[in-house]
Amino acid sequence: MSVPRAAAARCKMRRQDHDRDEASGGGSGQVRFDTLYREQAPRLRRWLDARLQSSEDANDVVHDAFARLLGSGAREGLRQPEAFLNRIVRNLLIDRSRRVPNRTPHVPIDDANEPATRATQEDAIELAEMRERYRASVDALPPRMREVFLLHRIAGLGYKEIATQLDISIRTVEWHVGEALVRIGKDLGQ
C-alpha cells in the first residue's frame, strides 16, 4: 500500500470511529463531558439546593462532583455516566455529613460579641487575656495558613472564594483552616 493510500485508509478509519462515536451519543470525551455537564449540573444543583438549603453549598458539591468525574480514569468507559455522577454526589454528601456535625459553631472574639450580662472586673481581665492569647496563637501560624484562616474567619470568605483568590484547591483551604483551629486550640489549652 502506498503512502497516500495508507493515509486515506487511516482517515477513513478515523471518520468511521467519529461517526460511531456520534451515533453512540457524542464525539470526543470532552464533548461528552460538556454535554453531561450542561444536562446534569442544573438538575443536581436543584436537588442539592433542596437538601443543603444553600445554593453556594450546592454549587460547591456539583463542582466537586464534576471535578472528581473528570479526574477519574473510568469516565471514558462508562455506559451510564449519570449514575456514576449521582454516586459521586451521594458520596460527597456522606463525606460532608461526617464533617458538618463535628464542627463547632464559630463565634468571633471581638467587641461586637460581648456577653449580654455585665462582666465583673475579673471576667473582663480573663477575656482580655484570652483575646491576647488567641491573637498570639493566630500570629504564630505559618504565613499561608494564617492568611487562609484570616480570610475565612475575619473576612468571612467561603472556602471556594479563598481557593480562587489564592489559586489553591478547596481541599487545601479546608486543611489550612482545620489545622489552624487545631493549633489555636492547643495554644489556648482546649
Side-chain angles (χ1 to χ4, degrees):
M1 188 180 269
S2 70
V3 174
R5 285 186 188 181
R10 281 193 305 272
C11 191
K12 182 179 178 183
M13 288 173 57
R14 278 191 216 118
R15 243 184 323 210
Q16 289 172 341
D17 288 344
H18 176 73
D19 292 345
R20 185 173 47 247
D21 284 346
E22 288 295 321
S24 68
S28 68
Q30 185 62 35
V31 171
R32 284 190 296 252
F33 182 81
D34 292 346
T35 303
L36 181 67
Y37 185 84
R38 278 195 304 280
E39 291 173 355
Q40 297 299 314
R43 178 188 63 81
L44 288 171
R45 276 191 200 95
R46 284 190 304 275
W47 187 80
L48 288 164
D49 195 26
R51 276 151 190 75
L52 300 174
Q53 297 172 350
S54 166
S55 60
E56 183 177 312
D57 289 344
N59 285 333
D60 286 345
V61 172
V62 168
H63 175 74
D64 288 347
F66 276 95
R68 285 193 183 184
L69 176 65
L70 190 59
S72 77
R75 74 180 174 93
E76 293 300 324
L78 293 174
R79 283 181 281 173
Q80 295 179 328
E82 297 86 0
F84 188 65
L85 187 61
N86 288 337
R87 183 75 249 171
I88 291 171
V89 168
R90 283 193 298 270
N91 288 344
L92 287 169
L93 288 176
I94 289 168
D95 291 346
R96 188 178 199 288
S97 70
R98 288 178 182 154
R99 284 191 314 261
V100 172
N102 296 332
R103 290 186 190 160
T104 57
H106 168 62
V107 179
I109 302 175
D110 59 13
D111 295 332
N113 292 301
E114 289 292 327
T117 59
R118 185 95 186 173
T120 64
Q121 184 177 8
E122 182 181 315
D123 291 338
I125 292 169
E126 188 177 317
L127 182 59
E129 289 174 355
M130 175 71 83
R131 283 185 179 150
E132 188 55 40
R133 288 185 11 225
Y134 175 78
R135 286 185 184 108
S137 182
V138 170
D139 289 343
L141 293 173
R144 180 63 131 191
M145 187 180 297
R146 182 176 54 245
E147 180 181 21
V148 170
F149 182 75
L150 292 175
L151 284 172
H152 181 62
R153 290 300 171 110
I154 304 301
L157 298 179
Y159 288 176
K160 185 177 179 180
E161 294 169 306
I162 295 168
T164 302
Q165 183 174 336
L166 299 178
D167 196 27
I168 57 177
S169 72
I170 294 173
R171 294 261 186 224
T172 302
V173 172
E174 290 172 348
W175 181 86
H176 279 302
V177 171
E179 185 66 20
L181 290 172
V182 168
R183 290 179 185 199
I184 292 168
K186 284 180 183 177
D187 288 348
L188 297 179
Q190 296 179 346

